[in-house]
Amino acid sequence: MTHSDNPAKIEVRNLQKSFGAKHVLRGVDLTIKTGESLAVIGGSGTGKSVLIKNIIGLMEPDSGAIQIDGEDVIGMNPEDRERVTRKFGMLFQGAALFDSLSVWENVAFGLIQSQGMNRHAAREDALAAMVQVGLDTDIAERSPAELSGGMQKRAGLARAIATKPEILFFDEPTTGLDPIMGSVIDDLIVKSVRELGATALSITHDMASARRIADNIAMIYEGRIVWHGPVADIDHSGNEMLDQFIHGRSDGPIQLRVAG
Amino acid sequence: MRPLRAIGRGTIAIFAVIGRISVFAGTSLYHCVRPPFFPRLILRQMIEIGFYSLPVVGLTAIFTGMVLALQSFSGFGFAGEATIANVVVWGITRELGPVLAGLMVAGRIGAAMAAEIGTMRVTEQIDALTTLSTNPFKYLVAPRLIAAVAMLPLLVLVADVIGVLGGFIVSVYDFGFNPTTYLKSTWASLDAAGFVSGLVKAAVFGFLVALMGTYHGYHSKGGAQGVGQATTNAVVSASILLLLFNFIITALFFAT
Ligand SMILES: Nc1ncnc2c1ncn2[C@@H]1O[C@H](COP(=O)(O)OP(=O)(O)OP(=O)(O)O)[C@@H](O)[C@H]1O
Ligand SMILES: [Mg+2]
């Protein structure tokens, strides 16, 4: 499946972001075509979460440009920004379910708050989204704290897809899950993205998961994208950094600074 | 030059904090008056702040009223019902009712707000709100501010009544005063300005407690320890600001 002829859905140009003296993003360039599923891989602390937060608008970059559907979103007024945000759905690393609400209220949250649906109709849609991710509707009234990690991820996924977003973001969707549950979540992600016809941006350091969910892979290192290409090419990319990362070798161009 | 530099740096830091809190307060107030509103959330906070604080505030008020009567009896001796009733009413309605209720609520509600919102911050629930097109100021901060400003005067009203009752109990059962005369003196001592100033204080205190609770929660970082720090900061800063504003409001009402 190729999306190379599609228009760009997300376009990131020369994105820079520092925290004090720490220069995290040092000029990230990234294009994600409509309908494409891209996984950004990279080591811990390389700025993957910071990148996604800048794109979503949870953080302002120091410089650079971000376009969603051709619209510049940096410095956009709040009304337009909100309109763009409605295109997004996001699954957070720790699921980030609202613990003051029941499971179905979590899943229905975007339908009620952002689409103005009444509670009754939203509940029906939420239950349908729960079924879609393999959650038993018996747990609809439970509190998220009573669910296991895997179930929380499923509920988070149901919440992200319930509003039928055009763009889905996944922050380390399989971290903290056992390998089987991890691949179940991956399959659900692939299925959801396909059913919605959505564009997807995932960040992960789990290579097995990246291979399953992505069409293309981009590797981030020292604040820049050092390799970007189809998932089929990653095993013979000729890029030493990518090779080292996917084989998890400790010797190579990537040096972990253990101290400091 | 060293001490001057330290003073300068400290002053700048204080103004930076005041600036940040002012911007936070301004943003919050803007979202308090702009739709959409969240009546369910406001109601829930009102019950949490108003109803569940009643026992704490009531107990504080009754003991304070009782001790005021004891102290003024031992201080003014045989000055009689009128003086003691007067001291109790003035002390409770002008100062101790609002201040003690405010401090109790700061400990109970300010801490709870900081802990709840702080946990939401560090578990990315606040980020999740934004991705679901819901403004965290509207959803989390505004309902708490509105509820606290509305409920604190009611709590203080209850504290006033119970505090005066505490004074009455001690005066009648301990000192053997005539209940009717004591009540008449109580009624006569009640002055509109003092009573109203107490309720104005209560509303301001409610605002300060909710503001500090939400501000510190919203800006907490670094896991469980950060949330604990935010909780402590919320209670301490709310208590100090409350006493500062108590002085300012008293000066505005009564300084001639
Ligand atoms: N709000 C912030 N304030 C200060 N520093 C931050 C902030 N957010 C991130 N950082 C720093 O930016 C760097 C990149 O963080 P980020 O969370 O993006 O890493 P990551 O690639 O997602 O790592 P992981 O795989 O461990 O989640 C880290 O060194 C982190 O300390
Ligand atoms: Mg991360």
Side-chain angles (χ1 to χ4, degrees):
Chain A
M1 190 166 36
T2 139
H3 310 91
S4 49
D5 298 333
N6 291 358
K9 192 80 179 172
I10 302 174
E11 182 100 51
V12 176
R13 283 289 156 258
N14 196 22
L15 197 70
Q16 309 253 359
K17 179 74 184 177
S18 307
F19 297 101
K22 192 183 278 173
H23 204 165
V24 179
L25 301 182
R26 306 174 179 219
V28 171
D29 291 296
L30 207 55
T31 303
I32 307 169
K33 297 281 172 64
T34 305
E36 175 186 343
S37 174
L38 176 78
V40 175
I41 58 171
S44 286
T46 46
K48 303 185 298 294
S49 296
V50 169
L51 173 64
I52 224 169
K53 283 184 178 161
N54 276 286
I55 295 174
I56 293 179
L58 296 170
M59 251 180 214
E60 283 282 295
D62 300 333
S63 67
I66 298 172
Q67 293 186 336
I68 308 285
D69 283 328
E71 281 186 288
D72 267 302
V73 293
I74 310 296
M76 215 177 214
N77 68 53
E79 286 77 36
D80 285 334
R81 181 92 230 192
E82 204 178 306
R83 176 174 53 74
V84 172
T85 307
R86 283 181 212 282
K87 299 179 183 179
F88 298 161
M90 169 134 179
L91 172 58
F92 287 85
Q93 189 163 345
L97 298 172
F98 305 124
D99 33 36
S100 58
L101 302 177
S102 67
V103 172
W104 84 262
E105 286 173 316
N106 264 282
V107 177
F109 196 92
L111 298 171
I112 295 172
Q113 303 304 345
S114 114
Q115 303 191 347
M117 204 181 258
N118 71 52
R119 284 175 68 81
H120 189 75
R123 190 172 194 277
E124 294 304 309
D125 279 24
L127 293 181
M130 285 173 64
V131 170
Q132 225 175 324
V133 299
L135 278 179
D136 205 326
T137 49
D138 291 353
I139 63 161
E141 303 295 340
R142 295 237 202 116
S143 143
E146 296 171 46
L147 306 187
S148 72
M151 284 160 94
Q152 290 186 359
K153 279 275 164 80
R154 289 180 194 230
L157 180 60
R159 183 175 71 181
I161 63 173
T163 53
K164 304 198 165 40
E166 297 171 30
I167 307 174
L168 278 162
F169 297 91
F170 302 102
D171 187 352
E172 318 237 351
T174 56
T175 314
L177 301 178
D178 69 71
I180 298 172
M181 182 56 86
S183 80
V184 168
I185 295 288
D186 286 337
D187 292 344
L188 286 172
I189 286 175
V190 172
K191 176 175 145 240
S192 313
V193 170
R194 195 169 299 146
E195 277 170 7
L196 291 172
T199 306
L201 172 59
S202 319
I203 56 178
T204 184
H205 39 219
D206 174 353
M207 279 315 299
S209 164
R211 286 174 200 270
R212 278 193 294 261
I213 59 184
D215 308 316
N216 292 305
I217 302 275
M219 174 158 170
I220 187 169
Y221 178 65
E222 295 205 315
R224 290 192 188 85
I225 302 294
V226 293
W227 190 83
H228 187 175
V231 70
D233 293 353
I234 59 172
D235 292 311
H236 42 86
S237 65
N239 184 302
E240 284 180 40
M241 284 184 269
L242 182 63
D243 276 345
Q244 186 190 348
F245 188 82
I246 60 184
H247 296 111
R249 286 192 298 258
S250 58
D251 60 323
I254 303 174
Q255 292 298 322
L256 287 190
R257 279 165 299 245
V258 177
Chain B
M1 284 311 282
R2 276 281 160 71
L4 270 184
R5 194 187 295 170
I7 291 170
R9 197 177 294 146
T11 313
I12 290 172
I14 288 174
F15 277 109
V17 170
I18 292 175
R20 274 202 296 277
I21 293 176
S22 307
V23 169
F24 186 91
T27 312
S28 309
L29 287 174
Y30 172 82
H31 287 289
C32 283
V33 296
R34 295 269 301 208
F37 304 110
F38 292 95
R40 279 162 158 273
L41 297 180
I42 297 174
L43 191 68
R44 182 145 99 202
Q45 291 299 326
M46 282 181 158
I47 293 169
E48 188 57 46
I49 298 169
F51 186 71
Y52 290 110
S53 298
L54 276 176
V56 185
V57 169
L59 284 172
T60 312
I62 195 155
F63 294 137
T64 306
M66 288 164 79
V67 93
L68 267 182
L70 280 181
Q71 289 285 18
S72 45
F73 188 71
S74 76
F76 302 120
F78 298 103
E81 286 97 334
T83 315
I84 290 175
N86 201 327
V87 170
V88 170
V89 167
W90 276 50
I92 292 284
T93 57
R94 288 183 171 214
E95 288 298 329
L96 295 169
V99 169
L100 291 177
L103 290 175
M104 286 298 161
V105 171
R108 231 183 72 81
I109 299 298
M113 286 179 181
E116 188 179 357
I117 296 180
T119 305
M120 292 186 72
R121 164 61 73 200
V122 300
T123 56
E124 297 185 305
Q125 290 179 51
I126 295 185
D127 290 343
L129 276 178
T130 308
T131 64
L132 293 162
S133 308
T134 303
N135 188 308
F137 278 91
K138 273 203 169 62
Y139 189 79
L140 294 175
V141 181
R144 286 169 170 78
L145 282 177
I146 294 170
V149 170
M151 295 320 283
L152 253 278
L154 287 178
L155 274 176
V156 166
L157 203 62
V158 173
D160 286 352
V161 173
I162 295 180
V164 167
L165 179 71
F168 173 85
I169 290 170
V170 168
S171 302
V172 171
Y173 294 98
D174 202 1
F175 310 151
F177 289 167
N178 178 313
T180 321
T181 329
Y182 186 87
L183 279 184
K184 270 192 190 134
S185 311
T186 299
W187 188 247
S189 320
L190 199 63
D191 70 314
F195 179 71
V196 170
S197 78
L199 297 185
V200 170
K201 283 177 177 180
V204 173
F205 296 170
F207 180 77
L208 291 173
V209 168
L211 184 69
M212 287 299 103
T214 52
Y215 173 81
H216 287 286
Y218 193 84
H219 290 288
S220 62
K221 45 174 159 282
Q225 198 190 354
V227 175
Q229 188 67 51
T231 308
T232 309
N233 289 346
V235 175
V236 172
S237 59
S239 306
I240 291 173
L241 277 180
L242 193 150
L243 294 172
L244 169 69
F245 274 83
N246 184 45
F247 173 76
I248 295 174
I249 298 169
T250 308
L252 287 178
F253 260 86
F254 302 110
T256 43

